[in-house]
């Protein structure tokens, strides 16, 4: 399943670089189901599987070029972040890192706010708060999950700058999908490593299947 996920990710990224829209439409919806199947086979906790499936919902809706689809997709991703927060809730995180994420959140939202469509300002701000909280809490599970959370934040920030019509990198969707696919994989790996570590808190192990 992990190899299949890698192949689908490469196909998606290659399609974006080559400008083959059909390849992107086919490959993108395969990513999260394959990663969720891999995680399930490895015995991952249910909140992780749910987070990945909500990510799949977001992926599908964001393929549509419509404001309502963007909002529904963002809502699906937000539900996924809630699942991640449930999963990370018992981990220990750095207060200093949290302060850094808070500064990044306030700065980014303040800069984007004037350029976002009026109807998207509040939803984007609320989603950004939830996403930043997830990225911070992910760091409590170690390096892999911490990097995954940070890359997820970067990926969605790239999307937000596109919505705000800021100058973009060449082939912007390539960078969005590269950071997103890497983020979800690293989050999965981080959780699995944490689950398998002998030092993982027993309270975490007892609470991991409550959702």
């Amino acid at each position: 399943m992990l190899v299949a996920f890698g192949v689908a990710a490469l196909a998606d990224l290659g399609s974006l670089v080559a400008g083959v829209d059909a390849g992107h439409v086919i490959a993108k919806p395969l990513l999260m189901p394959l990663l969720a199947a891999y995680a399930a086979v490895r015995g991952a906790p249910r909140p992780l599987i749910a987070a990945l499936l909500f990510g799949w919902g977001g992926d599908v809706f964001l393929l549509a070029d419509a404001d309502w689809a963007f909002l529904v997709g963002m809502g699906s991703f937000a539900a996924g972040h809630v699942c991640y927060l449930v999963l990370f809730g018992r981990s220990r995180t750095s207060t200093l890192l949290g302060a850094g994420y808070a500064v990044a959140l306030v700065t980014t939202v303040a800069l984007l706010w004037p350029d976002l469509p009026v109807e998207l300002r509040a939803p984007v701000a609320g989603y950004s708060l939830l996403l930043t909280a997830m990225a911070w809490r992910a760091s409590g599970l170690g390096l892999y999950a911490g990097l995954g959370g940070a890359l997820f934040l970067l990926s969605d920030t790239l999307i937000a700058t596109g919505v705000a019509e800021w100058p973009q990198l060449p082939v912007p969707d390539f960078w969005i999908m590269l950071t997103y696919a890497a983020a979800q994989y690293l989050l999965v790996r981080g959780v699995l490593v944490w689950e398998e570590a002998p030092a993982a808190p027993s309270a975490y192990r007892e609470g991991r299947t409550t959702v």
Side-chain angles (χ1 to χ4, degrees), residues 7-179:
V7 170
L10 289 175
D12 186 43
L13 295 173
S15 297
L16 291 171
V17 171
V20 182
D21 292 341
H24 176 59
V25 170
I26 293 170
K28 184 181 180 182
L30 297 176
L31 296 175
M32 291 307 104
L34 289 171
L35 192 56
Y38 164 72
V41 169
R42 291 287 303 273
R46 286 189 293 245
L48 176 61
I49 306 301
L52 294 172
L53 293 179
F54 278 122
W56 171 75
D59 290 343
V60 171
F61 279 105
L62 262 59
L63 285 172
D65 186 17
D67 288 346
W68 70 266
F70 179 82
L71 288 171
V72 173
M74 186 166 58
S76 189
F77 278 120
H81 295 322
V82 172
C83 293
Y84 276 128
L85 286 170
V86 170
L87 187 58
F88 303 153
R90 299 177 186 274
S91 63
R92 295 181 179 180
T93 49
S94 165
T95 302
L96 182 60
L97 180 62
Y101 270 125
V103 171
L105 169 66
V106 172
T107 302
T108 302
V109 171
L111 291 173
L112 287 169
W113 188 270
D115 298 323
L116 290 171
V118 174
E119 65 275 11
L120 293 181
R121 287 175 178 173
V124 168
Y127 175 81
S128 298
L129 176 61
L130 189 60
L131 171 61
T132 304
M134 184 281 292
W136 172 49
R137 297 298 295 169
S139 66
L141 269 65
L143 179 61
Y144 292 126
L147 285 175
L151 284 175
F152 212 136
L153 181 61
L154 174 59
S155 180
D156 281 5
T157 300
L158 292 175
I159 294 176
T161 61
V163 173
E165 298 185 352
W166 285 13
Q168 299 290 295
L169 294 168
V171 196
D173 286 346
F174 170 84
W175 302 106
I176 290 169
M177 289 306 301
L178 176 64
T179 50

